[in-house]
Amino acid sequence: MNPPRDALQAHNKPETTPATHTLRLILGDQLNPQHSWFASVQPGVVYVLMEVRQETDYVLHHAQKIIAIFAAMRALARQLQAAGHRVHYLCIDHPANRQNLADNLQALMAYYQPQRLEYQEPDEYRVDLNLQTLLASSPYRSSVSSSRVDSEHFYTQRHEVAEFFAGRQQWLMERFYRHMRTRHRVLMDSHGAPAGGQWNFDQENRKPWKGAPPEPADMRPLHDHSALWAGIQAAGVRSMGEPCADRFRWPLHRQEALQQLDHFIAHALPHFGDYQDAMSRKAWRLFHSLLSFALNVKMLNPREVVERVEADWRCGRTPLAAAEGFIRQILGWREYVRGIYWAQMPGYDQHNYFGDTTPLPAWFWTGHTRMNCLAAAIGGSLHNAHAHHIQRLMVIGNFALLAGLDVQALHRWYLGVYIDAFEWVELPNTLGMSQFADGGLLATKPYVGSAAYIDRMSDYCKGCAYDRKQRLGDTACPFNALYWDFHQRNATLLQHNPRIGMAYRQLEKMPAAERTAITTQAQAVRARLNHL
Ligand code: FAD
Ligand code: DLZ
Ligand code: SF4
């Protein structure tokens, strides 16, 4: 076995100093240059980053996600080297790359003969298990000690949410969020009460967008990653979606992410609350931050984002409802879903409460459907590697649940398509919040709606091939029959849920003939999913 050579060909010198006592692994979503690891240069420490098929191939990823992660990993490697750290970088096409974390680490241990191997707590169960298995079985385990350190990113430790909810059947995000606000003194007044006398301004935050105020300009950085993309393709990595490699718009490093945060706070945050649930064909970003990639790969820390937003409200630039609505997403939802993930894994990914098994229609990979809302949400996802929350939840997820699509296949699609998708955050959102596949641990009721909801919150229905008002017939909006049929099909599982009593009362009032017609219409829709 040849020792792996240093492989960031363009800007990495071959490793010549063998006196290495510690290898430190940095994963592709651990790109935080402010981690305490880097506080001082230690000549005996080598930092290891590797582009591997194990991580590109565990689901079919969006091309932009692969480019963004590799480009950002390379940028951090350069930054560390410029600061004097020793870095061993394995590019995807390097001949010595064994294409998985364990084999590469074994080879690196043989080459450097370190006494220690250190890694930051991985955010994904699969990778955590992979590393633990390697370290337990490695031939080096008697000579190499290993330790897992904190990634220094989240507010909470992995099992804090489970401890907070211990003994409770339902894990209500709102309870956890109030606890986080109090504990971290975020948006609190001097008496320990929530700022403005309210925890939640959701009632003020549900407006459709009619074209004004205008969507802020897209000030994200612009990069040409054509060469990197050519290398990824040459290595045989499969992908979905549009690479947009020559006009690439995701941040590569912390400085670019901070500029994006500044721009968001100055131009979009004041309107975030009002329009956080709105959708429009004319504006795919609206007033969202698009910071999820930078946050999830840890270029940005959630605390600094929350502090900046709170400061903007305190100096009177941003309304409290907007600041609270945004902070709730990060201090509340983001930490909460991570806690659900670690409390429920392994096994959470196997839940399928409604027993749904229908394969995803082919247009999940093309966006070509006559349903305007899905063409915009899926087409946009394939073009941008991003969709905002309500598109993910109330258009794509809503349709999937109503149509009875295979939950695990849907989970893999979401995990692959979005630039910000990592299992710890994607799985609870998809399987729990959007598909109710855990039977209601995370959501108090299934998030489903008919065309009326989509029409109220978007401009998609105008000009759609389908009629939003019709339930029956060839041109009736598919959401309508599917919505009622979903409730009928799953009555034994859902009808006792007090939060959806209204839907069942409406169904009871419907003439039997109409209910039968809805069932027939929904069956016809489900039989031609690929052709909708
Ligand atoms: P903004 O609207 O500007 O919100 C600000 C930040 O709040 C986000 O960057 C994100 O860090 C956080 N946030 C908002 N909502 C959530 C949430 N529900 N859970 C966790 N954090 C949240 N988010 C991901 O980061 N990765 C995923 O893989 C992911 N998958 C999702 C799948 C489904 C089915 C649904 C319904 C939601 C998913 N979300 C996911 C949550 C949310 O859609 C994205 O965080 C958001 O769209 C990212 O865009 P943004 O940065 O412009 O967010
Ligand atoms: C998502 C991803 C991809 C596509 N490629 C790599 C890679 O080549 N090397 C790497 O270290 N990380 C990659 N990642 C991110 C990992 O999947 C992520 O670090 C784990 O899932 C842990 O959350
Ligand atoms: Fe979507 Fe139905 Fe509206 Fe068309 S009519 S955009 S399919 S909700």
Side-chain angles (χ1 to χ4, degrees):
M1 179 181 69
N2 293 324
R5 283 179 292 117
D6 222 328
L8 193 54
Q9 293 98 336
H11 39 250
N12 221 4
K13 287 196 225 83
E15 205 48 70
T16 48
T17 327
T20 300
H21 57 72
T22 303
L23 292 186
R24 284 178 171 170
L25 173 67
I26 303 173
L27 292 169
D29 61 351
Q30 297 177 337
L31 309 180
N32 169 17
Q34 297 195 313
H35 193 278
S36 59
W37 265 0
F38 314 125
S40 62
V41 171
Q42 298 174 52
V45 174
V46 172
Y47 292 96
V48 173
L49 294 97
M50 43 178 113
E51 300 169 357
V52 279
R53 295 296 294 268
Q54 168 187 333
E55 294 307 301
T56 59
D57 295 5
Y58 67 89
V59 287
L60 186 69
H61 281 111
H62 197 294
Q64 287 179 42
K65 185 175 174 189
I66 303 166
I67 297 172
I69 287 179
F70 284 12
M73 286 171 70
R74 292 179 185 202
L76 180 70
R78 267 183 229 118
Q79 189 185 341
L80 294 179
Q81 281 199 314
H85 297 284
R86 292 169 63 200
V87 176
H88 191 120
Y89 195 99
L90 272 173
C91 287
I92 194 77
D93 53 359
H94 194 271
N97 190 339
R98 285 162 178 74
Q99 302 296 351
N100 69 70
L101 297 170
D103 289 349
N104 279 334
L105 278 176
Q106 298 260 28
L108 287 163
M109 287 197 274
Y111 180 61
Y112 285 104
Q113 302 280 313
Q115 287 108 56
R116 294 185 61 70
L117 173 68
E118 296 180 356
Y119 62 105
Q120 296 177 29
E121 196 172 54
D123 283 330
E124 198 170 320
Y125 183 85
R126 173 183 62 84
V127 175
D128 202 19
L129 188 66
N130 183 215
L131 291 177
Q132 286 186 38
T133 310
L134 164 75
L135 294 168
S137 63
S138 162
Y140 305 97
R141 79 175 185 280
S142 52
S143 55
V144 181
S145 67
S146 65
S147 66
R148 193 172 71 182
V149 305
D150 196 330
S151 66
E152 300 172 8
H153 178 78
F154 293 97
Y155 280 89
T156 46
Q157 297 298 312
R158 276 182 185 174
H159 292 291
E160 233 174 288
V161 171
E163 281 154 23
F164 177 77
F165 287 111
R168 292 187 181 262
Q169 219 183 358
Q170 218 166 29
W171 294 18
L172 286 180
M173 200 294 283
E174 187 65 29
R175 274 194 76 232
F176 170 73
Y177 169 62
R178 292 180 188 187
H179 158 77
M180 292 292 279
R181 288 265 300 274
T182 311
R183 175 162 168 210
H184 297 282
R185 293 197 203 88
V186 177
L187 296 179
M188 301 299 283
D189 68 18
S190 53
H191 308 290
Q198 252 171 271
W199 292 102
N200 184 321
F201 294 84
D202 261 6
Q203 291 316 314
E204 297 169 35
N205 287 348
R206 296 266 183 267
K207 296 186 184 127
W209 182 70
K210 306 283 185 196
E215 181 188 55
D218 190 352
M219 296 300 284
R220 291 175 300 153
L222 195 56
H223 296 282
D224 186 344
H225 286 317
S226 307
L228 171 57
W229 176 234
I232 293 170
Q233 283 177 297
V237 178
R238 288 180 60 241
S239 65
M240 66 161 128
E242 291 172 43
C244 299
D246 58 344
R247 52 205 149 81
F248 197 80
R249 303 234 57 168
W250 296 100
L252 288 195
H253 50 71
R254 185 169 158 75
Q255 285 319 313
E256 288 183 346
L258 284 170
Q259 282 163 12
Q260 202 181 312
L261 174 62
D262 287 345
H263 182 74
F264 166 70
I265 291 179
H267 300 285
L269 175 64
H271 306 296
F272 176 86
D274 279 349
Y275 303 110
Q276 64 176 299
D277 285 1
M279 299 176 282
S280 173
R281 274 180 298 172
K282 299 186 197 91
W284 70 272
R285 291 171 289 108
L286 278 169
F287 302 95
H288 293 275
S289 68
L290 272 63
L291 287 171
S292 47
F293 172 70
L295 275 164
N296 293 353
V297 298
K298 306 183 182 63
M299 284 173 195
L300 287 183
N301 187 279
R303 287 172 202 264
E304 68 188 325
V305 177
V306 166
E307 280 162 18
R308 290 282 312 277
V309 169
E310 177 166 8
D312 208 64
W313 162 67
R314 288 204 185 273
C315 69
R317 276 194 299 257
T318 285
L320 178 56
E324 189 283 315
F326 188 78
I327 285 175
R328 161 187 299 268
Q329 309 307 319
I330 294 183
L331 184 67
W333 281 108
R334 190 166 183 269
E335 298 286 326
Y336 167 79
V337 297
R338 174 169 180 263
I340 299 245
Y341 178 76
W342 283 106
Q344 299 296 320
M345 286 299 281
Y348 192 58
D349 50 349
Q350 297 307 310
H351 288 284
N352 189 352
Y353 189 60
F354 298 113
D356 291 332
T357 54
T358 306
L360 307 194
W363 40 262
F364 267 70
W365 287 272
T366 65
H368 297 155
T369 161
R370 289 183 302 144
M371 293 182 284
N372 260 358
C373 54
L374 279 152
I378 291 187
S381 302
L382 294 167
H383 190 264
N384 302 313
H386 191 278
H388 64 71
H389 188 68
I390 291 299
Q391 291 175 310
R392 297 187 202 193
L393 185 67
M394 293 308 294
V395 178
I396 307 172
N398 183 11
F399 183 86
L401 182 51
L402 294 180
L405 301 189
D406 182 330
V407 182
Q408 271 78 37
L410 189 73
H411 152 53
R412 288 193 294 277
W413 184 83
Y414 274 100
L415 185 55
V417 75
Y418 293 117
I419 192 108
D420 53 31
F422 298 90
E423 199 180 70
W424 64 269
V425 50
E426 176 278 330
L427 184 63
N429 268 299
T430 303
L431 191 135
M433 186 189 301
S434 155
Q435 299 300 294
F436 205 76
D438 59 7
L441 174 72
L442 198 150
T444 51
K445 68 179 175 69
Y447 280 99
V448 284
S450 63
Y453 174 86
I454 294 174
D455 189 38
R456 190 163 61 249
M457 296 312 298
S458 78
D459 54 14
Y460 295 147
C461 297
K462 290 170 198 77
C464 179
Y466 294 100
D467 183 341
R468 69 189 190 282
K469 296 244 159 89
Q470 300 302 317
R471 281 182 197 157
L472 304 175
D474 284 350
T475 57
C477 169
F479 278 85
N480 293 337
L482 289 176
Y483 175 83
W484 292 109
D485 180 61
F486 167 79
H487 287 93
Q488 294 199 86
R489 278 191 294 127
N490 296 301
T492 44
L493 293 172
L494 294 177
Q495 66 190 347
H496 300 299
N497 182 329
R499 294 208 59 209
I500 35 183
M502 175 83 98
Y504 283 100
R505 280 194 293 281
Q506 274 183 261
L507 262 177
E508 270 165 32
K509 283 189 208 144
M510 256 183 220
E514 194 172 343
R515 289 209 301 264
T516 308
I518 284 175
T519 304
T520 310
Q521 171 91 9
Q523 280 167 350
V525 168
R526 287 209 303 276
R528 57 185 177 93
L529 285 181
N530 273 318
H531 307 288
L532 289 175

